[in-house]
């Protein structure tokens, strides 16, 4: 979306959710215990908050309230104003008058940068600073950032960026180091989930990142579809031995997807899993990873993308080839023209409006299903960690093995979350540096971050203090729903066999190359093994261009070696 459409978009926002919901409704499900979600750490954080802070969090979580349509720019500004406490404690009114800086970030689904505008308008009014915005589509982000790095011309002072880019940006000394006063404001790192604590967000012992997000892909499934008695009977009549219900393995996902083609549910075509087969600026590769990690992330091996000692790509091994082949085989059983669906399409134009019954995606689905005008599925969705596999490929032995615990699960911690990074461009001016870091701290504050996790924003829970379901229930979320959502997040964050990507230079160049070749595979121009071999060869070439020894060292460092 163009920046000049921003004000028109905000003025036109009106709740369509009640119209779109139609017949979608929540199926009856057994109550989920909040004890499985809320650990002692989250309870401790809640106990340590003052009455004023608890009251503030309760108040902002009711703006506008779950089930009351998408928040508007007025809501974003109201939340931003209410969360100015830390700014007012560290900045004098008008202290940054005359300061101007440029902020580069995404405009996905009219979120990200558009929310930041609303949150920072009251900050600008109080501090006197002025922000110029650079808005990028997701598919354009990787190329734009790498162009800046390659040319050595950083034309922004703050950037919304993911941790995988830290090797490219922080590794080249382009960031400003976080001041201690900012760490206190954002409660760093105490309130961050474990996998987002150092070394993530740091480089050579220096801290650069204000988290605004945490990332993992989870399974979203339609409870109304998987509790339907007619579909259950048809499933049994088709000769299936298992009960009709949400799948636990990718084998079951594939079987369900093939079974549902041609079936009707509530008078409409019903579909199974939604594969995004179109590239998305490198970000689409994460969705192939969702299918692959259960096959290729061995519990005894931290590596799954490359061999640790050589950087030899694993993307063409038997496990990866199986995942790609299953995606190819499933596409004919998915909605028409699925080959042209990117991840934004599968989430926002298919699953939320009611097409498909299974989707792997980031946590946006969990918040948007009951808070976005685009959603028709209401509360008829629950959540789980990604499906697993009964067998696992051991890259070290080159053989398939039976999963030790029956099913091998390997949650994909895709992208490590978005963060706010201040650039070195501000360091020569103490006033401008303080202003930039104050804006970053405002966006990454503990209270406003809870609101962003609960409402359409592009971000999901990333703090320990986000794990208290009572605060979400106060916003209007139903207990079973939010308990399931938070549990799927926590079970992924804390899983012993997480698939964590390396923060190595060029990671999105690897992913973009893979997307290009996957497009050829999905179009039938090359067979799966040949395509996978082509990806591996391109990755090897890229590693040599960047420097194999350097990449090996950084790859090992990403595992804490």
């Amino acid at each position: 979306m163009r920046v000049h459409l921003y004000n028109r978009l905000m003025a036109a926002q009106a709740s369509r959710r009640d119209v779109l919901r139609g017949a979608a409704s929540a199926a009856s499900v057994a109550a989920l215990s909040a004890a499985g979600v809320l650990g002692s750490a989250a309870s401790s954080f809640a106990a340590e908050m003052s009455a004023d802070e608890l009251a503030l969090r309760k108040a902002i979580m009711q703006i506008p309230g779950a089930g009351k349509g998408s928040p508007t720019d007025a809501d974003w500004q109201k939340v931003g104003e209410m969360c100015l406490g830390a700014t007012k404690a560290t900045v004098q009114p008008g202290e940054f008058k005359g300061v101007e800086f440029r902020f580069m970030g995404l405009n996905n689904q009219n979120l990200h940068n558009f929310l930041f505008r609303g949150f920072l308008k009251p900050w600008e009014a109080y501090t006197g600073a002025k922000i110029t915005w650079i808005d990028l589509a997701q598919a354009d982000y990787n190329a734009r950032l790498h162009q800046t790095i390659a040319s050595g011309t950083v034309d922004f002072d703050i950037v919304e960026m993911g941790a995988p880019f830290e090797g490219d940006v922080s590794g080249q000394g382009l960031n400003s180091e976080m001041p201690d006063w900012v760490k206190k404001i954002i409660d760093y790192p105490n309130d961050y989930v474990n996998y987002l604590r150092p070394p993530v967000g740091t480089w050579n012992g220096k801290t650069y990142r204000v988290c605004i997000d945490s990332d993992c892909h989870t399974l979203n499934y339609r409870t109304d579809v998987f509790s339907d008695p007619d579909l259950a009977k048809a499933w049994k009549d088709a000769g299936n031995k298992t009960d009709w219900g949400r799948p636990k393995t990718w084998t079951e996902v594939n079987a369900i997807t093939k079974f549902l083609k041609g079936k009707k549910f509530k008078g409409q075509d019903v579909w199974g899993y939604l594969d995004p087969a179109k590239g998305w600026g490198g970000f689409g590769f994460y969705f192939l990873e969702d299918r692959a990690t259960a096959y290729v992330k061995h519990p005894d091996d931290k590596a799954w993308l490359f061999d640790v000692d050589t950087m030899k790509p694993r993307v063409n091994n038997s496990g990866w080839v199986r995942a790609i082949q299953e995606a190819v085989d499933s596409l004919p059983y998915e909605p028409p023209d699925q080959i042209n669906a990117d991840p934004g399409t599968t989430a926002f134009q298919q699953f939320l409006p009611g097409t498909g019954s299974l989707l792997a995606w980031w946590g946006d689905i969990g918040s948007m299903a009951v808070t976005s005008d685009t959603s028709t599925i209401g509360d008829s969705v629950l959540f789980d960690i990604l499906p697993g596999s009964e067998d696992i490929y051991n890259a070290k032995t080159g053989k398939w093995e039976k999963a030790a615990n029956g099913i091998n699960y390997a949650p994909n911690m895709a992208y490590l979350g978005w963060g706010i990074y201040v650039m070195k461009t501000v360091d020569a001016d103490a006033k401008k540096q303080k202003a930039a870091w104050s804006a970053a701290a405002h966006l990454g504050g503990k209270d406003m971050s809870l609101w962003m996790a609960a409402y359409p924003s592009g971000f999901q829970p990333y703090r320990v203090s986000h794990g208290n379901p009572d605060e979400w229930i106060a916003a209007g979320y139903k207990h079973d729903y939010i308990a399931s959502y938070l549990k799927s997040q926590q079970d992924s964050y804390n899983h012993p066999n997480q698939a964590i990507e390396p923060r190595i230079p060029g990671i999105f160049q690897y992913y973009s190359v893979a997307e290009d070749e996957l497009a050829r595979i999905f179009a039938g121009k090359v067979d799966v093994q040949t395509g996978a071999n082509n990806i591996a060869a391109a990755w090897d070439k890229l590693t040599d261009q960047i420097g194999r020894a350097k990449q090996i060292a950084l790859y090992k460092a990403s595992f804490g070696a």
Side-chain angles (χ1 to χ4, degrees):
M1 172 164 289
R2 302 283 184 184
V3 177
H4 72 268
L5 295 178
Y6 169 67
N7 290 327
R8 191 175 2 163
L9 167 75
M10 295 302 107
Q13 279 193 9
S15 177
R16 302 183 292 114
R17 187 173 185 275
D18 290 338
V19 177
L20 292 171
R21 288 183 69 177
S25 62
S28 176
V29 295
L32 296 169
S33 170
V37 180
L38 187 59
S40 59
S43 300
S44 176
F45 270 96
E48 292 173 0
M49 292 181 193
S50 67
D52 287 344
E53 184 173 11
L54 289 172
L56 169 63
R57 291 164 72 89
K58 182 177 181 180
I60 63 174
M61 285 291 273
Q62 293 173 353
I63 302 173
K68 298 183 179 179
S70 295
T72 66
D73 185 53
D75 294 320
W76 303 336
Q77 290 190 50
K78 187 174 182 180
V79 172
E81 174 72 32
M82 293 172 68
C83 293
L84 275 178
T87 299
K88 293 180 178 179
T90 52
V91 179
Q92 294 298 313
E95 183 177 337
F96 302 144
K97 186 177 182 180
V99 171
E100 297 185 14
F101 57 82
R102 293 165 65 85
F103 191 123
M104 187 170 86
L106 296 185
N107 61 3
N108 276 7
Q109 301 300 316
N110 307 324
L111 302 175
H112 291 254
N113 262 16
F114 291 104
L115 271 76
F116 299 158
R117 279 177 170 82
F119 292 145
L120 285 168
K121 279 183 179 177
W123 179 89
E124 288 179 281
Y126 175 82
T127 67
K130 180 180 178 181
I131 303 172
T132 299
W133 297 90
I134 303 172
D135 300 298
L136 300 173
Q138 184 102 37
D140 298 331
Y141 184 90
N142 175 36
R144 175 64 163 83
L145 188 60
H146 277 289
Q147 180 186 24
T148 296
I149 297 167
S151 64
T153 54
V154 177
D155 61 346
F156 48 85
D157 303 299
I158 299 181
V159 63
E160 177 194 15
M161 188 178 82
F165 288 105
E166 288 174 359
D168 296 291
V169 178
S170 304
Q172 296 197 38
L174 300 178
N175 291 130
S176 175
E177 184 179 1
M178 183 189 294
D180 288 341
W181 60 270
V182 173
K183 295 178 182 178
K184 293 179 181 178
I185 289 176
I186 65 174
D187 199 4
Y188 173 86
N190 297 336
D191 195 27
Y192 286 8
V193 295
N194 285 335
Y195 96 106
L196 291 183
R197 297 180 184 185
V200 171
T202 71
W203 204 266
N204 291 331
K206 295 182 179 180
T207 302
Y208 297 114
R209 167 188 168 107
V210 173
C211 279
I212 54 171
D213 181 29
S214 178
D215 277 333
C216 63
H217 280 189
T218 56
L219 182 68
N220 307 270
Y221 63 94
R222 290 276 298 274
T223 57
D224 49 357
V225 171
F226 288 108
S227 62
D228 183 71
D230 293 334
L231 289 175
K233 182 178 184 301
W235 175 257
K236 284 293 187 182
D237 290 347
N240 293 290
K241 304 301 182 184
T242 59
D243 291 333
W244 176 244
R246 77 179 186 274
K248 289 296 185 181
T249 67
W250 282 106
T251 298
E252 294 172 352
V253 169
N254 300 332
I256 287 169
T257 301
K258 292 179 180 180
F259 163 77
L260 285 176
K261 184 175 182 180
K263 300 292 191 300
K264 296 287 185 180
F265 177 67
K266 296 180 180 178
Q268 303 293 323
D269 291 334
V270 60
W271 303 94
Y273 187 73
L274 301 172
D275 277 293
K278 183 179 179 181
W280 212 32
F283 289 87
F285 186 71
Y286 286 123
F287 295 83
L288 176 62
E289 291 178 356
D290 291 341
R291 280 188 171 274
T293 54
Y295 300 143
V296 303
K297 176 60 183 69
H298 197 283
D300 297 332
D301 188 355
K302 292 183 178 181
W304 54 286
L305 284 169
F306 305 91
D307 288 342
V308 171
D309 296 321
T310 64
M311 278 293 291
K312 177 184 177 182
R314 295 185 177 181
V315 71
N316 60 337
N317 71 23
S318 181
W320 279 96
V321 168
R322 174 175 168 180
I324 301 171
Q325 187 66 61
E326 289 181 354
V328 170
D329 293 343
S330 294
L331 284 175
Y333 299 91
E334 298 180 25
D337 201 34
Q338 195 68 13
I339 194 171
N340 289 314
D342 63 25
T345 300
T346 61
F348 305 116
Q349 297 177 35
Q350 291 183 322
F351 191 75
L352 285 175
T355 297
S357 53
L358 294 164
L359 177 73
W361 230 82
W362 285 287
D364 308 61
I365 301 302
S367 60
M368 294 185 72
V370 292
T371 60
S372 171
D373 293 341
T374 65
S375 175
T376 67
I377 57 178
D379 299 326
S380 60
V381 59
L382 286 179
F383 316 91
D384 206 345
I385 63 173
L386 289 177
S389 171
E390 294 180 348
D391 49 0
I392 174 72
Y393 183 74
N394 188 329
K396 292 182 177 179
T397 65
K399 297 179 180 180
W400 285 90
E401 303 172 355
K402 288 295 182 182
N405 297 317
I407 298 178
N408 182 65
Y409 293 103
N412 182 17
M413 314 306 283
Y415 197 59
L416 299 172
W418 292 99
I420 302 297
Y421 298 76
V422 177
M423 306 305 292
K424 236 180 179 178
T425 53
V426 306
D427 284 352
D429 183 335
K431 186 176 178 181
K432 188 173 183 179
Q433 182 193 55
K434 183 179 179 182
W437 275 111
S438 176
H442 181 57
L443 292 178
K446 181 188 293 187
D447 301 326
M448 193 155 64
S449 71
L450 175 64
W451 189 96
M452 284 197 278
Y455 288 97
S457 65
F459 314 118
Q460 61 196 71
Y462 68 92
R463 289 178 173 272
V464 176
S465 58
H466 291 164
N468 184 350
D470 290 342
E471 293 191 308
W472 297 69
I473 291 170
Y477 280 84
K478 293 182 179 179
H479 174 272
D480 292 349
Y481 181 95
I482 196 57
S484 172
Y485 176 69
L486 291 177
K487 188 175 188 302
S488 73
Q489 300 287 304
Q490 296 294 332
D491 286 354
S492 298
Y493 295 153
N494 297 321
H495 200 280
N497 194 35
Q498 297 170 339
I500 299 178
E501 66 184 316
R503 296 177 302 140
I504 56 176
I507 189 65
F508 267 81
Q509 293 171 269
Y510 290 103
Y511 292 168
S512 293
V513 166
E515 281 190 353
D516 292 342
E517 191 62 30
L518 285 171
R520 285 165 38 84
I521 296 172
F522 292 142
K525 295 181 179 179
V526 293
D527 64 81
V528 171
Q529 185 65 67
T530 299
N533 290 341
N534 291 343
I535 296 172
W539 282 13
D540 256 334
K541 183 178 179 180
L542 181 57
T543 296
D544 287 332
Q545 290 174 348
I546 297 173
R548 189 169 297 271
K550 173 185 175 181
Q551 293 292 75
I552 291 172
L554 292 174
Y555 192 37
K556 288 182 176 180
S558 71
F559 292 133

